[in-house]
């Protein structure tokens, strides 16, 4: 149980940080504590109330007025919170049905929405914490500074509500949604591919396999691999004196009872040590953006496929998705691929991890769009242009040839559904891509 604590802690922290619990709750607690502390401090130090101008709060001797102000603000804020939740649920429903249910991850992680809920709930907590201080017995007391703070928070909530409505109106725009997913995907790329790429990098010569007798470590649960703790696996492999190879990469689904890890020297790996190795993997029922670049691409592809479906028929949205996909792929090309082999100490191979390759990335990004857009000239033309842009950024010959082959498949697939003139235009654009490759040799 304790072996899984690091992975569980990271998974829980990732989920809570991206949900509607931690940040709104923290803001509400801070503002509530501020209301309680300020009212208590004001009662202990009478000079605090003297700092508040009479113009801002003239009824500084009437506790009833302070109670009415605080209770009115608290009641109004809770009404507004219900409206905010209604707007939020409407937005989530619209995004799920109109675009893709997988993009809800991006909406839930939106910090503006989290701050909106936190500020409104915090204002309510502030008023409720300060309300007991305004009393007539045993002696009248009016927390003038605290009440003035509540009035300022109420005005801030009005301004924040206007900003939130403006933000929601932008966030449901498909261009805004796709751009946000692309930016999040680029952040994932930067995190697990921190070094800029080099055209002179060498491929690993040895096969990612165990050349000595090995044994499988079976998965104890069904789910998607969401995160791999590389350092922990390396330390465990060095401690046990074994070599470890992951069978599946991040983002793959692994049923319970299926091999997920292969280890050398099986006699050194007891059942307890198997649990230690499995604890370095975070698995769950859904994919996340912790290390999974492909998941971000899949979200954009889902929006594009729904846009070019006969039921919606929105090629402009599909074109926007293709543009953002080319942006993500070019960003991936500009980074050094993550290591597939890890050594500890040097020259002693300890861990082999499969990561997504360029070919898999390209297939995920464009294969389905190519297949379903064969009857749409605009989408096919933009797809070939995106391949041209990617080829311009690709430094390796094999990567460029892969893009040329994909462009040829776009032309072949579209030639069955488009007119002769349209196919000619598509071939001309594909010819520009082939010319770019030939001139680069």
């Amino acid at each position: 149980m304790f072996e899984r604590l690091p992975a569980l802690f990271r998974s829980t922290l990732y989920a809570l940080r991206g949900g509607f619990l931690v940040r709104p709750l923290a803001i509400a607690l801070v503002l509530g504590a501020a209301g309680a502390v300020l009212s208590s401090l004001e009662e202990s130090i009478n000079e605090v109330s003297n700092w508040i101008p009479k113009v801002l709060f003239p009824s500084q001797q009437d506790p009833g007025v302070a109670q009415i102000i605080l209770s009115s603000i608290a009641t109004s804020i809770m009404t507004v919170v219900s409206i905010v939740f209604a707007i939020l649920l409407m937005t989530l429903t619209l995004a799920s049905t109109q675009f893709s249910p997988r993009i809800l991850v991006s909406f839930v992680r939106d910090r503006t929405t989290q701050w909106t809920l936190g500020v409104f709930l915090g204002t309510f907590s502030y008023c409720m914490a300060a309300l007991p201080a305004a009393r007539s017995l045993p002696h009248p007391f009016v927390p003038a500074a605290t009440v003035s703070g509540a009035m300022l928070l109420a005005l801030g909530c009005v301004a924040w509500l206007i900003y939130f409505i403006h933000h929601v109106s932008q966030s449901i725009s498909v261009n805004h949604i796709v751009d946000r997913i692309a930016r999040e995907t680029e952040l994932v790329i930067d995190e697990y591919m921190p070094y800029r790429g080099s055209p002179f990098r060498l491929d690993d010569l040895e096969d990612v396999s165990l050349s000595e007798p090995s044994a499988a470590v079976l998965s104890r649960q069904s789910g998607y691999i969401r995160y791999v703790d590389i350092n922990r696996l390396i330390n465990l492999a060095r401690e046990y004196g074994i070599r470890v190879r992951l069978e599946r990469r991040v983002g793959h689904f692994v049923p319970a009872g299926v091999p997920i890890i292969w280890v050398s020297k099986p006699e050194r790996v007891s059942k307890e040590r198997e649990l230690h190795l499995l604890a370095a993997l975070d698995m769950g029922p859904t994919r996340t953006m912790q290390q999974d670049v492909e998941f971000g691409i899949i979200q954009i592809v889902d929006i594009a496929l729904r846009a070019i479906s006969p039921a919606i028929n929105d090629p402009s949205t599909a074109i926007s998705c293709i543009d953002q996909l080319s942006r993500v792929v070019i960003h991936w090309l500009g980074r050094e691929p993550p290591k597939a082999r890890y050594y500890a100490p040097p020259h002693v191979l300890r861990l082999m991890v499969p990561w997504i390759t360029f070919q898999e990335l390209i297939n995920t990004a464009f294969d389905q769009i190519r297949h379903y857009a064969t009857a749409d000239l605009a989408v096919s033309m933009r797809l070939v242009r995106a391949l041209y842009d990617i080829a311009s950024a690709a430094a390796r010959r094999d990567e460029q040839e892969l893009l040329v082959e994909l462009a040829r498949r776009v032309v072949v697939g579209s030639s069955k559904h488009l007119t002769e003139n349209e196919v000619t235009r598509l071939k001309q654009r594909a010819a520009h891509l082939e010319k770019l490759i030939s001139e680069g040799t």
Side-chain angles (χ1 to χ4, degrees):
M1 176 62 186
F2 294 103
E3 295 80 9
R4 293 188 55 82
L5 286 180
L8 287 174
F9 177 76
R10 179 185 175 89
S11 176
T12 303
L13 186 62
Y14 177 85
L16 293 179
R17 187 175 65 245
F20 294 143
L21 178 61
V22 173
R23 185 172 280 111
L25 180 61
I27 297 173
L29 291 177
V30 169
L31 289 180
V37 171
L38 182 58
S39 59
S40 177
L41 181 65
E42 191 173 358
E43 186 174 6
S44 302
I45 306 175
N46 296 328
E47 289 77 8
V48 174
S49 300
N50 298 331
W51 297 345
I52 305 301
K54 297 289 185 179
V55 177
L56 185 61
F57 184 43
S59 302
Q60 297 188 6
Q61 304 299 324
D62 190 352
V65 174
Q67 293 174 347
I68 292 174
I69 292 176
L70 292 175
S71 60
S72 299
I73 292 176
T75 304
S76 303
I77 288 298
M78 288 309 296
T79 303
V80 175
V81 166
S82 64
I83 297 175
V84 170
F85 270 107
I87 295 174
L88 180 59
L89 291 177
M90 179 195 66
T91 304
L92 294 178
T93 303
L94 176 64
S96 177
T97 56
Q98 185 71 20
F99 304 115
S100 170
R102 274 166 285 277
I103 69 171
L104 293 183
V105 177
S106 300
F107 278 89
V108 172
R109 293 178 61 84
D110 183 50
R111 292 191 176 183
T112 300
T113 304
Q114 295 175 3
W115 271 95
T116 300
L117 296 176
V119 168
F120 281 103
L121 293 176
T123 302
F124 172 79
S125 301
Y126 179 95
C127 294
M128 295 302 296
L131 190 57
R135 61 185 182 272
S136 301
L137 297 175
H139 54 82
F141 174 69
V142 178
T146 307
V147 174
S148 300
M151 296 168 63
L152 293 176
L153 283 175
L155 293 176
C157 287
V158 172
W160 195 278
L161 179 62
I162 297 174
Y163 170 71
F164 174 70
I165 295 174
H166 168 74
H167 174 75
V168 169
S169 65
Q170 285 190 324
S171 64
I172 60 177
S173 167
V174 64
N175 290 331
H176 180 86
I177 293 172
V178 176
D179 176 74
R180 181 171 58 189
I181 296 173
R183 282 188 281 109
E184 292 177 356
T185 306
E186 288 177 341
L187 291 177
V188 177
I189 294 174
D190 293 339
E191 182 176 353
Y192 91 106
M193 299 171 60
Y195 305 108
R196 293 195 172 275
S198 169
F200 306 105
R201 66 178 185 270
L202 298 176
D203 293 329
D204 293 326
L205 298 180
E206 60 176 309
D207 183 27
V208 183
S209 60
L210 295 177
S211 56
E212 51 192 310
S214 58
V217 177
L218 305 182
S219 176
R220 300 294 200 276
Q221 66 178 107
S222 299
Y224 293 93
I225 301 177
R226 303 191 292 194
Y227 178 77
V228 177
D229 192 338
I230 300 296
N231 293 329
R232 180 171 175 80
L233 283 176
I234 294 175
N235 293 333
L236 290 175
R238 181 173 55 184
E239 179 183 349
Y240 302 156
I242 61 174
R243 183 180 300 173
V244 176
R245 176 172 65 89
L246 293 186
E247 179 68 16
R248 307 281 179 92
R249 62 176 171 84
V250 173
H252 280 179
F253 183 83
V254 183
V258 172
I260 189 174
I261 297 175
W262 289 89
V263 295
S264 65
K265 302 183 173 108
E267 67 278 1
R268 298 185 180 181
V269 183
S270 61
K271 294 297 181 181
E272 182 181 359
R273 289 184 171 182
E274 287 185 3
L275 293 176
H276 292 173
L277 293 171
L278 292 173
L281 307 179
D282 175 30
M283 300 181 62
T286 59
R287 300 174 71 168
T288 65
M289 296 283 287
Q290 297 181 72
Q291 289 179 325
D292 195 355
V293 175
E294 188 181 32
F295 183 52
I297 291 177
I298 288 175
Q299 294 179 60
I300 302 177
V301 172
D302 282 349
I303 298 175
L305 294 179
R306 187 162 297 194
I308 59 179
S309 65
I312 297 179
N313 193 22
D314 182 14
S316 298
T317 295
I319 288 174
S320 298
C321 293
I322 292 173
D323 293 338
Q324 296 295 341
L325 287 171
S326 64
R327 158 191 174 180
V328 172
V329 174
I330 291 174
H331 190 80
W332 191 92
L333 283 173
R335 297 286 171 172
E336 190 71 21
K339 295 188 295 183
R341 296 162 184 80
Y342 299 86
Y343 300 82
H347 309 298
V348 179
L349 182 61
R350 291 299 183 190
L351 174 64
M352 290 167 281
V353 180
W355 299 102
I356 189 170
T357 63
F358 178 74
Q359 182 173 359
E360 293 171 333
L361 196 74
I362 288 293
N363 291 339
T364 301
F366 299 116
D367 244 7
Q368 287 184 293
I369 298 177
R370 174 195 62 80
H371 177 75
Y372 289 102
T374 53
D376 195 308
L377 176 63
V379 176
S380 298
M381 292 282 285
R382 185 58 64 91
L383 182 56
V384 175
R385 194 179 80 175
L387 296 176
Y388 180 91
D389 294 337
I390 297 172
S392 302
R396 293 167 53 116
R397 179 69 180 179
D398 57 339
E399 296 170 345
Q400 295 174 338
E401 291 177 349
L402 179 64
L403 297 170
V404 171
E405 177 60 28
L406 181 58
R408 290 171 181 166
R409 283 154 52 193
V410 172
V411 174
V412 171
S414 299
S415 61
K416 303 176 183 178
H417 302 86
L418 301 178
T419 65
E420 184 177 350
N421 291 335
E422 292 173 336
V423 173
T424 300
R425 292 174 56 189
L426 193 58
K427 287 182 178 180
Q428 290 175 350
R429 181 159 291 186
H432 288 302
L433 173 58
E434 296 186 13
K435 181 179 180 182
L436 173 67
I437 304 305
S438 61
E439 291 178 348
T441 57

